[in-house]
Amino acid sequence: MSTPAPSVPGAGSPRHVWRRPQFVDNPWLRWGILLGLAAYLVYASTAVDMNLQRMLRGLPRAREFLALMFPPDFGRWELLSSGVLESLQMAVFSTAVGSLLSIPVAIGAASNVAPRPFYVLCRGWISISRTFPEVIIAIFFVKAFGFGPFAGVLTLTVATTGFLGKMLAEDIEDIDRGQVEAIEATGAGWGKTLLYGVFPQVMPRLVGLVVYQLDINLRESTIIGIVGAGGIGGALFNSFLRYEYDFSLAILLVIIGLVLVAEWASGEIRSRVT
Amino acid sequence: MNAAPHREWHRHTPRQSLLRFAMNLAIAMAVVWAATGLDIYWPFLLDAPPTVVDLAARMLPPDWAFFDNIVDPMIETINIATLGTLLALFLACPVAVIAARNTTPNVVTFWLGRLIVVSSRSVNELVWGLIMVVFFGPGALAGVAAIALRSVGFTAKLLAEAIEEIDRGQVEAIEATGANRPLVFFYAIVPQIMPAFWGVTVFRWDINIRQSSVIGLVGAGGIGLVLNSAMNMFRWDQVTVILIAVFAVVLVSEAVSATLRARYT
């Protein structure tokens, strides 16, 4: 083309009006997207029966619910504290066991150190355990091993091997080859290379990740009790079933406090080690 | 008089070693406390392998005929996630504006914004589901509300961070034209956070697809309801089909989200 395209649309015309650039340039595509979105909204809100009438009918019930919720009832603090304690113990124990187990998983899932068949196996495990929400894994273990913290510990351990295994595997894949080659040059075998060439490089990250995982596990450990896997979630679910909403609020406040403290502490520790 | 004929190299100073030892001890004690405190009958662990084998035998082969029954709940799950995400976006925009330091009108609105973000984020979707079922009765509507309320905090937090990180220069340029506050917002701030906005939307949608497969357990609609009843009836071969379907949908949504984010943000 001999004439270069004008950089501003309409720049050649006598009265040049600036227009706000659109997020999607092509008008057909832009209107198409908007129209599609509107059509979807209409379809989906009828599909899930989301209409104003139903929402408005919820309002008085919401008011009633809030009235029953306040003031929070901390009267059964023994039940509350034993549930919270169980959640804490589940989180700590499964983080410890899960972290130990996730180390071999991570080594297996790192393409630069693992043999091929082992790699496929470990990656498969990671993607299965990461895809399913903790709660689904939890129901599974509850059905297999019965109600109680054992199912919860298994759930959180599996989830830990998935998340920590994946993160650690990525760190191992990102390491500096030089140090590994230096150790290999001394005649060290696979195990010693791993121990002296790979681990020192990922150790600081591992500590940070374990702390983060503890934070996640603590969060989940307060929830999976809803499906019977131990911890405070069971008491929360029961309080809802019995319409004891003031006790529910007390439990919720404690959970929120716990989650906030854990998030703050985990952030502090991680900013120091990494 | 040479006091130290040869000095040995140590990785840590005595003080560091002591500190490390103390920390390791504290961790070990915490783990022991947790392990002994838990009400677990440990010989159960020996039962675990046969139980798992037994369960696997019941799960296979999958009852593929059941697949027809899960198509509708699966679509409902996707609808819950999508509508919940859209509703969350709608609610999160004003929250993000007041939760960002540089756009919030005053200190009170700033802390209000932060409060909304924290309370939305620290309550799990299952708990939001329980509450919404009380409000709207069992069904997908409660699910949409639960997913939306849970996502508001996350979405607003990330959007507020994006607003805080904008380039001041563009804001000043628009202000210099004499534009008022709303105009400055729409012409200087909105274009800058658009990529973050779409990125956060797609990211949250992906998370919500996964979470909305669960909320059926508390009666808030979707595939979780079917999963729960199949498990209660010990139809493990149907459970396998549901799990495979959930796995596939989550994988697809993850791939869609990753592709969109890589291309547009």
Side-chain angles (χ1 to χ4, degrees):
Chain A
M1 286 303 211
S2 53
T3 50
S7 55
V8 179
S13 61
R15 279 195 45 205
H16 136 218
V17 181
W18 179 82
R19 279 176 200 284
R20 194 153 56 108
Q22 298 287 343
F23 192 68
V24 181
D25 283 332
N26 183 341
W28 288 103
L29 188 64
R30 185 167 68 235
W31 288 107
I33 291 174
L34 284 177
L35 215 69
L37 197 67
Y40 172 76
L41 269 180
V42 172
Y43 148 74
S45 34
T46 43
V48 304
D49 197 15
M50 193 164 112
N51 55 51
L52 205 63
Q53 227 185 344
R54 265 192 86 187
M55 289 187 178
L56 288 179
R57 252 183 300 166
L59 282 181
R61 259 177 288 179
R63 202 169 323 127
E64 205 179 314
F65 174 77
L66 289 175
L68 285 171
M69 249 186 159
F70 285 97
D73 171 23
F74 287 95
R76 264 169 295 164
W77 57 272
E78 278 168 334
L79 183 61
L80 183 59
S81 64
S82 73
V84 168
L85 211 65
E86 189 170 70
S87 282
L88 255 171
Q89 289 170 332
M90 273 159 53
V92 170
F93 186 60
S94 55
T95 307
V97 177
S99 303
L100 289 179
L101 291 177
S102 73
I103 291 173
V105 173
I107 294 169
S111 56
N112 53 346
V113 288
R116 191 75 198 167
F118 202 47
Y119 174 77
V120 174
L121 196 74
C122 287
R123 280 283 161 182
W125 171 254
I126 285 176
S127 83
I128 288 177
S129 56
R130 266 174 51 77
T131 301
F132 292 115
E134 277 88 344
V135 177
I136 288 189
I137 304 179
I139 343 178
F140 217 75
F141 283 130
V142 168
K143 298 285 168 184
F145 300 104
F147 290 97
F150 186 55
V153 166
L154 285 178
T155 304
L156 296 177
T157 305
V158 167
T160 302
T161 56
F163 180 77
L164 206 58
K166 181 179 154 89
M167 299 310 258
L168 193 59
E170 276 163 15
D171 285 334
I172 295 178
E173 283 174 350
D174 283 343
I175 57 168
D176 172 21
R177 281 296 303 165
Q179 297 185 36
V180 178
E181 277 165 22
I183 303 291
E184 275 170 351
T186 65
W190 189 75
K192 283 195 170 155
T193 310
L194 218 53
L195 205 58
Y196 291 97
V198 177
F199 278 166
Q201 295 195 54
V202 295
M203 215 42 202
R205 281 278 297 163
L206 177 61
V207 173
L209 285 173
V210 169
V211 173
Y212 184 44
Q213 184 70 53
L214 182 61
D215 180 13
I216 300 175
N217 283 351
L218 188 61
R219 228 170 242 257
E220 293 299 329
S221 71
T222 61
I223 294 305
I224 51 178
I226 290 179
V227 294
I232 187 67
L236 181 66
F237 190 51
N238 284 331
S239 74
F240 265 92
L241 292 183
R242 293 184 198 145
Y243 306 105
E244 294 166 345
Y245 298 137
D246 47 354
F247 188 42
S248 313
L249 181 60
I251 299 174
L252 273 179
L253 289 175
V254 172
I255 291 180
I256 293 175
L258 200 66
V259 165
L260 286 182
V261 169
E263 193 175 276
W264 170 81
S266 124
E268 280 290 299
I269 296 175
R270 273 183 294 149
S271 69
R272 265 181 224 175
V273 287
T274 48
Chain B
M1 312 288 269
N2 35 2
H6 88 132
R7 275 205 291 177
E8 218 176 302
W9 178 81
H10 289 286
R11 198 162 154 216
H12 304 289
T13 63
R15 201 187 140 82
Q16 279 175 326
S17 311
L18 196 68
L19 200 69
R20 289 172 73 91
F21 177 72
M23 266 167 46
N24 287 337
L25 192 69
I27 293 170
M29 276 164 62
V31 174
V32 170
W33 165 76
T36 50
L38 280 171
D39 181 24
I40 292 176
Y41 182 61
W42 289 105
F44 253 18
L45 203 57
L46 296 175
D47 267 358
T51 314
V52 169
V53 170
D54 179 51
L55 200 61
R58 286 161 199 249
M59 287 181 73
L60 296 170
D63 176 16
W64 288 113
F66 189 65
F67 189 79
D68 292 341
N69 303 30
I70 65 168
V71 173
D72 284 341
M74 209 64 205
I75 292 174
E76 187 175 72
T77 298
I78 297 171
N79 282 337
I80 290 173
T82 314
L83 282 177
T85 310
L86 290 174
L87 189 60
L89 275 181
F90 184 71
L91 299 172
C93 287
V95 177
V97 171
I98 63 170
R101 268 192 199 83
N102 49 351
T103 49
T104 191
N106 55 51
V107 188
V108 179
T109 54
F110 175 70
W111 285 106
L112 178 69
R114 287 282 146 125
L115 182 71
I116 296 174
V117 167
V118 164
S119 38
S120 154
R121 260 162 48 81
S122 45
V123 175
N124 189 280
E125 54 276 336
L126 275 183
V127 179
W128 280 122
L130 283 171
I131 299 175
M132 291 303 119
V133 167
V134 175
F135 285 13
F136 301 116
L141 179 61
V144 173
I147 290 290
L149 287 174
R150 162 75 157 163
S151 314
V152 165
F154 176 90
T155 321
K157 184 181 186 227
L158 291 184
L159 283 182
E161 277 166 13
I163 294 177
E164 283 176 354
E165 280 164 14
I166 56 167
D167 171 22
R168 277 293 304 163
Q170 298 187 33
V171 177
E172 279 165 19
I174 303 290
E175 273 170 353
T177 65
N180 56 17
R181 274 187 81 133
L183 282 176
V184 170
F185 183 73
F186 283 108
Y187 282 86
I189 296 177
V190 169
Q192 292 196 58
I193 59 166
M194 257 342 211
F197 179 83
W198 294 116
V200 171
T201 307
V202 172
F203 186 36
R204 189 66 219 185
W205 174 76
D206 172 22
I207 299 177
N208 284 347
I209 290 273
R210 183 208 291 244
Q211 305 302 1
S212 55
S213 62
V214 170
I215 52 171
L217 295 173
V218 293
I223 191 82
L225 209 63
V226 187
L227 179 67
N228 201 27
S229 57
M231 280 192 167
N232 285 338
M233 292 186 296
F234 300 105
R235 288 302 304 268
W236 292 100
D237 49 349
Q238 296 180 352
V239 169
T240 313
V241 178
I242 299 171
L243 289 183
I244 292 173
V246 170
F247 188 71
V249 169
V250 171
L251 276 192
V252 169
S253 80
E254 227 169 53
V256 168
S257 148
T259 321
L260 282 177
R261 275 184 293 152
R263 193 173 300 175
Y264 294 109
T265 57

